[in-house]
Amino acid sequence: MSQATTLARPYARAAFQLAQAAGKLPAWSNMLGFSAQVAAHPDVQALVGHPKVDGPALAVLVQPPGEVDPTFQRFLAELADNGRLALLPEIAGLYGRLRAEAEQVVKATVTSAVALDADAVARITASLKRRFGREVELATAVDPALIGGAVVDAGDIVIDGSIRTKLARLGAALAN
């Protein structure tokens, strides 16, 4: 586990608790996502920790445009005061996991050799929903190197039904 993740964890929990108490979990996801993208930009990272740039200015810089929740503004100000704005990408990722867990949602990615049609995605989503007993947010990706079949990655669980893996197992069995 990286030091950044360890440092980001209490801030992610605090953000989650603030958002949950206000009933604004999706809004905070969006705000954190925007701020994390800005904070990850190389030009902004060069400003973080620069002696001539103060924390409040950086907090305003990473703020989403338009009207922003005052609690979120205070959260960013707290991060800036503690020199932790660079942790925003990790905070946003951890917050997303906490939100998914609270909302009983499993985020999964299915990688296939060819693009899947809507019917196949719906069948895979339904199958994963039965297996996990939770709602499933499914993302898709294409990797022609799989040859055929698919690989489902749902966090700690990976289901590999690709032809590439089956051929590798067959090759290993024949080699022994």
Side-chain angles (χ1 to χ4, degrees):
M1 185 177 306
S2 75
Q3 182 180 4
T5 302
T6 302
L7 293 172
R9 186 171 289 112
Y11 293 102
R13 286 184 184 140
F16 178 76
Q17 290 170 351
L18 290 169
Q20 191 175 41
K24 297 181 179 181
L25 290 174
W28 272 67
S29 287
N30 294 336
M31 292 184 294
L32 276 170
F34 178 87
S35 295
Q37 285 184 334
V38 172
H41 194 277
D43 293 340
V44 175
Q45 287 188 348
L47 295 174
V48 174
H50 193 282
K52 292 187 179 182
V53 180
D54 65 346
L58 284 172
V60 170
L61 179 66
V62 299
Q63 225 174 245
E67 186 139 350
V68 179
D69 183 335
T71 306
F72 186 74
Q73 288 176 331
R74 287 192 301 276
F75 178 75
L76 289 178
E78 188 68 29
L79 288 175
D81 288 345
N82 293 319
R84 301 293 193 221
L85 283 174
L87 296 175
L88 273 167
E90 286 84 7
I91 293 169
L94 292 169
Y95 174 90
R97 288 186 198 144
L98 290 169
R99 178 180 171 205
E101 188 178 309
E103 293 177 341
Q104 298 284 313
V105 175
V106 174
K107 293 185 180 193
T109 302
V110 61
T111 305
S112 58
V114 295
L116 298 173
D117 61 9
D119 185 47
V121 171
R123 286 194 318 268
I124 293 169
T125 302
S127 176
L128 291 173
K129 187 175 178 180
R130 281 191 308 275
R131 178 172 181 155
F132 295 120
R134 295 179 169 193
E135 289 298 315
V136 175
E137 285 183 16
L138 190 65
T140 59
V142 176
D143 181 3
L146 294 178
I147 303 170
V151 177
V152 178
D153 183 354
D156 294 339
I157 297 173
V158 176
I159 304 166
D160 191 342
S162 68
I163 301 294
R164 177 180 66 188
T165 300
K166 290 178 182 178
L167 286 172
R169 286 183 191 148
L170 180 61
L174 291 173
N176 291 331

